[in-house]
Amino acid sequence: MKLFPTMLLAVLAMATSASAQEAVSLDAKVNEVFANVTGPFVSLIFAPLPGTAFPWIVLWLVVAATIFTIYFGFVQFKFFGHAIKLVKGDYSDPDDAGEVSHFQALATALSGTVGLGNIAGVAVAVGIGGPGATFWMILAGLLGMASKFTECTLGVKYRNEYPDGSVSGGPMYYISKGFTELGLPGGKILAILFSVFCILGALGGGNMFQANQAHAQISGIVGDYPGWITGIIFAGIVFAVIVGGIKSIANVTEKVVPLMGILYVGAALVILIVNFDQIGWAFGQIFAGAFTGLGVAGGMVGALIQGFKRAAFSNEAGVGSAAIAHSAVKTKEPITEGFVSLLEPLIDTVVICTMTALVITISGQLIVDADTGNYMLNEAGSAIATVGDTSGVGLTSAAFGSSISWFPFVLAIAVVLFAFSTMISWSYYGLKAWTFLFGEGKSSELTFKVIFCVFIVIGAAASLGPVIDFSDAAIFAMAVVNIFALYFLMKLVRKELNSYASRLASGEIKSFKH
Amino acid sequence: MPSKLVIGLDGHASGERALAHGMRLAELIGSCELVIVYVIEWSPFSFQTAEENAQRHKRREEEIAMAKNRVVEPAIARVTEAGITARGVVRHGDVADTLNAISIKENAEQIVVARSSEGGFAKRFFGSSTSNLVMNATVPVTVVN
């Protein structure tokens, strides 16, 4: 319990003793080394298809989501109503009260996905790809529901249940067990590969990106200061929770984060209602931009790539992380958690991301050329020019601030809390991958947790470009292995789906609510 | 068929008063079984971390075992000693809803609870479990002071 104040004092002492110049050069050094080390990995994941500028990984995700959608007969639409009933608890056995409910598994998974992806990620997509990126983001969200359904069903079906009642699940478990069940070779190797990428994903998107954007928000309000200071403070708090077991911090976050989410959506709704006369125009921009690009860098393809990339980064469909979170649910029917999980991309991407995109579009932060009606590019020609030259969280903040002047302060708090809750979620996902590789045990777990905290400092100190590239690359690398395995395992899910659907139709599966 | 009374315990002295009244009623009725219920306050709509979810089943078992050992079994022993038939039930959920649901399932004549020991802001804002039970129960309720 004394650890946190001691660390805080150490941070303050370091902050006052180090000169600002030394600190900035330390940030630059961290950034340079980090960019050099991760460069080749990032290039491989985002390599374009031969003769095009289209990254192969984006096609990989879209094709998979489309195949799952067709293979499962548009499960995301057919079982949407049933998914809502499951979340409401209509099919939950009262004798199982006190176990993890469908709602809780969904809320936990959502707290890992709803966050900076919805605030900063959407701004990045719209800033580079224009409003048209939103159309592709919504499409990716709708298709991604089927990917999520597939992986989360398997996550519950093949989880490990230990004698003490605790559970561990996720792609590493369903890949190794599922391949063995089907008599396929290579399951163990794929599971190991997934775990390695999951650890990198946890350190990248689940950690460094969060720390980086949290620092950007805090320094935007209190003035510029070295990122490593934010990093050390964040690392100290995360360390206190995941190593020190200080539940009070996690408990406060659990309560406040959903409230922040509601506040964020509420504020977006208020802005949209106040500007309701512009909603039609904004959707017009979204549709026109989706197919013409409206002058953005890369045109229609640029909008499409940004939309799909940021949707995948935000809702993580096909990535496999949600399967780890959903696997803790209490149910006799693994497929039910699949149904519930398909609501995740809907809430995260189709609803929340779209609201952010609409607010940014309506706010007028994106500068339009009055003569052509197209968007103007910034000096580098890499993104749309914005009022005040903002990007990422800064753009979202400015967009909300143009309608509700005090909202940037609330958003800053929300970003910090979202970043924190996402870090806590991903520390768990990374830990599960780590223990799959190195075994469960106190020293093994502590090693990962310490590495996780070190990366928070690196993430806060590095600049956005290299961090966002590595974060994306690491998360998408998980999807490479996960989706490859899902193609082999999807027939197991269809068997479950057919069995459940027929029992539901025959009345064998009954609602407990009368 | 003996009559059944559901006795709601809360692990405090007030629960003891409810039990004592239930035993008195059982003696007056004659052929009567007491169903002693302890509800662990829990909502399926609360928020938890992934780690808490992974440990939830284990925690649930521990919570049930603790409630049985500390509250329900000593109460059953006391009732049985007095020559009255008794059974114990430990469940998670909303106290008022769960007591009512168990009473309906058991076809109980009435529910006996004590006046709530909760106080302060929560009681003013949400109402106590006892008052919620009195307001919403579909089975007769006796509240012991």
Side-chain angles (χ1 to χ4, degrees):
Chain A
M1 288 296 275
K2 286 178 184 166
L3 187 68
F4 182 59
T6 315
M7 286 188 77
L8 202 61
L9 282 176
V11 170
L12 289 174
M14 284 166 81
T16 46
S17 64
S19 74
Q21 204 176 6
E22 279 171 348
V24 171
S25 71
L26 180 66
D27 274 12
K29 191 110 190 141
V30 168
N31 195 40
E32 188 190 327
V33 172
F34 181 72
N36 287 337
V37 170
T38 58
F41 174 61
V42 172
S43 304
L44 179 71
I45 294 293
F46 292 117
L49 291 167
T52 68
F54 201 95
W56 69 274
I57 187 71
V58 174
L59 193 71
W60 176 256
L61 285 163
V62 178
V63 168
T66 311
I67 289 174
F68 296 139
T69 299
I70 296 166
Y71 187 76
F72 294 114
F74 294 86
V75 64
Q76 61 267 60
F77 305 115
K78 217 186 262 179
F79 283 89
F80 178 77
H82 188 63
I84 302 282
K85 283 181 187 164
L86 286 166
V87 174
K88 277 167 59 197
D90 290 3
Y91 288 86
S92 301
D93 187 341
D95 289 339
D96 287 338
E99 299 279 6
V100 178
S101 66
H102 284 301
F103 174 88
Q104 284 168 328
L106 176 67
T108 304
L110 269 173
S111 80
T113 58
V114 173
L116 284 171
N118 307 70
I119 302 171
V122 174
V124 170
V126 176
I128 300 174
T134 315
F135 174 86
W136 301 110
M137 215 155 51
I138 294 171
L139 187 65
L142 290 172
L143 292 172
M145 290 165 79
S147 306
K148 201 75 118 176
F149 160 78
T150 316
E151 61 192 12
C152 291
T153 302
L154 290 166
V156 177
K157 187 172 166 65
Y158 292 104
R159 63 187 168 184
N160 268 10
E161 290 181 55
Y162 300 107
D164 70 355
S166 60
V167 294
S168 280
M172 48 281 186
Y173 293 97
Y174 64 65
I175 294 172
S176 56
K177 287 185 185 176
F179 271 53
T180 306
E181 191 177 311
L182 293 172
L184 295 168
K188 193 80 184 166
I189 294 165
L190 282 173
I192 290 170
L193 202 58
F194 175 85
S195 299
V196 171
F197 290 142
C198 182
I199 291 166
L200 292 178
L203 298 176
N207 176 337
M208 297 174 73
F209 176 68
Q210 312 296 326
N212 188 284
Q213 289 291 283
H215 171 67
Q217 268 298 288
I218 298 168
S219 61
I221 287 178
V222 303
D224 200 19
Y225 69 98
W228 60 265
I229 296 178
T230 307
I232 288 183
I233 294 172
F234 254 75
I237 302 173
V238 172
F239 189 86
V241 173
I242 64 174
V243 180
I246 300 178
K247 289 219 171 110
S248 52
I249 301 173
N251 286 344
V252 169
T253 317
E254 283 157 34
K255 306 286 179 293
V256 177
V257 164
L259 192 74
M260 283 291 173
I262 293 164
L263 199 63
Y264 182 78
V265 172
L269 272 176
V270 167
I271 293 172
L272 294 177
I273 290 166
V274 169
N275 298 289
F276 74 96
D277 55 324
Q278 290 184 57
I279 293 176
W281 169 81
F283 271 111
Q285 292 284 295
I286 288 170
F287 283 107
F291 299 101
T292 65
L294 288 175
V296 302
M300 174 194 154
V301 176
L304 187 147
I305 293 170
Q306 282 304 321
F308 277 125
K309 254 175 93 168
R310 304 262 54 94
F313 187 72
S314 177
N315 65 41
E316 296 165 17
V319 169
S321 51
I324 303 174
H326 281 278
S327 63
V329 74
K330 171 73 182 179
T331 179
K332 294 175 191 82
E333 303 282 351
I335 199 98
T336 55
E337 198 53 27
F339 294 137
V340 168
S341 72
L342 59 77
L343 296 174
E344 228 189 290
L346 182 87
I347 298 168
D348 179 280
T349 310
V350 180
V351 177
I352 305 181
C353 285
T354 306
M355 281 190 170
T356 305
L358 282 172
V359 170
I360 292 173
T361 307
I362 286 173
S363 70
Q365 294 295 310
L366 305 172
I367 300 173
V368 178
D369 186 335
D371 297 331
T372 62
N374 281 347
Y375 289 99
M376 286 172 69
L377 295 182
N378 60 10
E379 277 180 29
S382 55
I384 297 172
T386 54
V387 178
D389 203 21
T390 54
S391 65
V393 173
L395 176 56
T396 311
S397 185
F400 276 80
S402 65
S403 293
I404 307 171
S405 61
W406 49 265
F407 198 75
F409 295 100
V410 177
L411 194 66
I413 298 167
V415 164
V416 173
L417 285 167
F418 281 149
F420 182 72
S421 78
T422 306
M423 278 182 193
I424 300 292
S425 297
W426 272 92
S427 73
Y428 178 75
Y429 303 159
L431 181 67
K432 287 287 122 184
W434 182 272
T435 53
F436 181 81
L437 291 178
F438 303 110
E440 316 246 349
K442 283 226 155 60
S443 59
S444 162
E445 290 180 9
L446 184 65
T447 308
F448 172 76
K449 287 171 177 175
V450 170
I451 294 171
F452 191 84
C453 291
V454 169
F455 269 76
I456 296 175
V457 183
I458 301 174
S463 67
L464 180 62
V467 168
I468 212 166
D469 286 346
F470 172 70
S471 302
D472 284 357
I475 297 233
F476 290 139
M478 290 167 69
V480 173
V481 183
N482 186 43
I483 288 173
F484 177 77
L486 289 180
Y487 284 135
F488 292 96
L489 302 174
M490 62 186 186
K491 59 181 168 194
L492 298 170
V493 179
R494 188 149 80 174
K495 213 168 126 189
E496 293 269 333
L497 177 62
N498 291 343
S499 157
Y500 185 86
S502 63
R503 282 180 292 136
L504 189 66
S506 71
E508 191 183 331
I509 293 170
K510 284 192 188 83
S511 166
F512 286 92
K513 293 272 155 73
H514 303 291
Chain B
M1 271 278 281
S3 303
K4 280 184 194 170
L5 299 180
V6 165
I7 314 294
L9 299 188
D10 62 358
H12 298 291
S14 50
E16 293 299 309
R17 293 199 302 274
L19 184 65
H21 185 69
M23 287 166 70
R24 170 92 181 114
L25 287 178
E27 281 166 3
L28 291 172
I29 292 167
S31 171
C32 183
E33 182 187 21
L34 297 188
V35 181
I36 297 168
V37 181
Y38 182 87
V39 182
I40 302 165
E41 188 70 51
W42 176 84
S43 166
F45 302 109
S46 61
F47 294 93
Q48 303 191 132
T49 63
E51 193 148 15
E52 282 173 319
N53 282 350
Q55 300 290 329
R56 185 60 213 152
H57 179 72
K58 190 179 157 189
R59 296 270 170 275
R60 177 182 183 263
E61 298 302 305
E62 286 168 359
E63 286 163 7
I64 291 173
M66 195 184 283
K68 273 187 180 159
N69 292 339
R70 292 194 183 172
V71 182
V72 176
E73 278 167 10
I76 292 174
R78 207 175 123 196
V79 174
T80 317
E81 222 169 76
I84 302 165
T85 316
R87 264 184 314 118
V89 177
V90 176
R91 285 278 287 275
H92 285 77
D94 175 80
V95 175
D97 289 349
T98 310
L99 278 174
N100 190 48
I102 291 171
S103 306
I104 293 167
K105 194 177 165 190
E106 295 282 349
N107 205 15
E109 298 299 330
Q110 64 168 287
I111 305 168
V112 181
V113 289
R115 197 174 60 185
S116 174
S117 51
E118 294 168 31
F121 177 75
K123 186 179 174 181
R124 279 168 214 276
F125 198 76
F126 301 108
S128 70
S129 300
T130 308
S131 53
N132 287 342
L133 181 68
V134 171
M135 299 274 273
N136 301 309
T138 50
V139 176
V141 180
T142 298
V143 180
V144 182
N145 268 323

